Amino acid sequence: MYHDLIISGFGGQGILAVGRLLAHAAMLEEKYVTFLPSYGPIMRGGTANCTVVVSSKPIGSPIVRNPQSAIFMNAPSVVSFEGRIKTGGLILYNSDLVNKADSKRTDVDKIFIPANTLAEEAGSGRVVNMVLMGAFIEITQVVGVESAVKCLKEVVSEKHIDLFQADQTALIKGSEFARCRTPAGK
């Protein structure tokens, strides 16, 4: 088993937090993992992205030029990274911030998720990242949703501990949403 992913959005959207969450869940399941964050000098509002590789075998490099999957939290991420996703890959879009017309790819599986809306239903508009990660985990099965929920305490900082319950709910809401959807286009 091998899966690589890029997660991209604005700083402050929890891009690095969900990347770390996926990495911790993979380690909990005794898989090999790399996590490579990248962000500009202005974290909140600037650009942020990370790549995560999960494998059943040792990983040669954390650098991923053409990832199999992507989570795009905003339209600038689509412009920056959509062209790099492998043909036949998977892209999850936050449809509350990305219009379907922004996506130009026809050779990948695309799922548009109203992540801001689902996050509000989970208890906070600040857990959009967890909605999208829950959906990604459900679709790819790269780790179990239960493992991600177990690892939340390791990833949620003391500063955001008030969001812990909403984070759990958002992971599950994202997973449930994805379970009912099929990719929107090859």
Side-chain angles (χ1 to χ4, degrees):
M1 184 280 289
Y2 175 94
H3 201 98
D4 51 42
L5 161 75
I6 188 164
I7 309 165
S8 181
F10 293 129
Q13 287 184 303
I15 305 301
L16 305 184
V18 290
R20 282 193 314 271
L21 178 64
L22 181 58
H24 280 264
M27 288 186 292
L28 179 68
E29 294 183 2
E30 298 184 1
K31 296 176 179 170
Y32 293 93
V33 64
T34 63
F35 166 72
L36 186 62
S38 175
Y39 45 87
I42 303 170
M43 288 274 294
R44 185 162 296 279
T47 59
N49 69 77
C50 66
T51 55
V52 181
V53 178
V54 178
S55 178
S56 57
K57 297 179 181 176
I59 299 165
S61 172
I63 298 169
V64 179
R65 294 194 194 289
N66 300 104
Q68 295 169 305
S69 298
I71 296 174
F72 295 143
M73 300 272 291
N74 59 19
S77 297
V78 176
V79 172
S80 296
F81 296 107
E82 187 180 55
R84 290 181 44 193
I85 308 310
K86 285 181 183 170
T87 297
L90 170 70
I91 304 176
L92 278 62
Y93 302 83
N94 177 359
S95 65
D96 288 324
L97 297 180
V98 177
N99 294 316
K100 287 185 180 184
D102 293 337
S103 172
K104 307 301 181 210
R105 296 290 297 269
T106 58
D107 60 345
V108 295
D109 290 333
K110 301 188 284 189
I111 300 179
F112 292 84
I113 300 169
N116 288 59
T117 303
L118 293 171
E120 288 292 342
E121 291 174 11
S124 175
R126 295 170 55 201
V127 295
V128 174
N129 58 341
M130 295 296 173
V131 169
L132 290 162
M133 183 52 66
F136 172 79
I137 290 170
E138 180 65 36
I139 293 164
T140 63
Q141 299 288 305
V142 69
V143 296
V145 174
E146 306 80 25
S147 296
V149 170
K150 283 181 188 174
C151 291
L152 267 174
K153 284 200 185 219
E154 297 173 37
V155 174
V156 175
S157 68
E158 284 297 318
K159 180 171 115 178
H160 298 295
I161 201 67
D162 60 313
L163 295 174
F164 183 76
Q165 186 60 48
D167 283 331
Q168 284 183 316
T169 304
L171 274 169
I172 293 165
K173 274 198 167 293
S175 173
E176 290 170 350
F177 182 88
R179 199 173 304 130
C180 300
R181 302 300 185 274
T182 56
K186 266 197 170 196

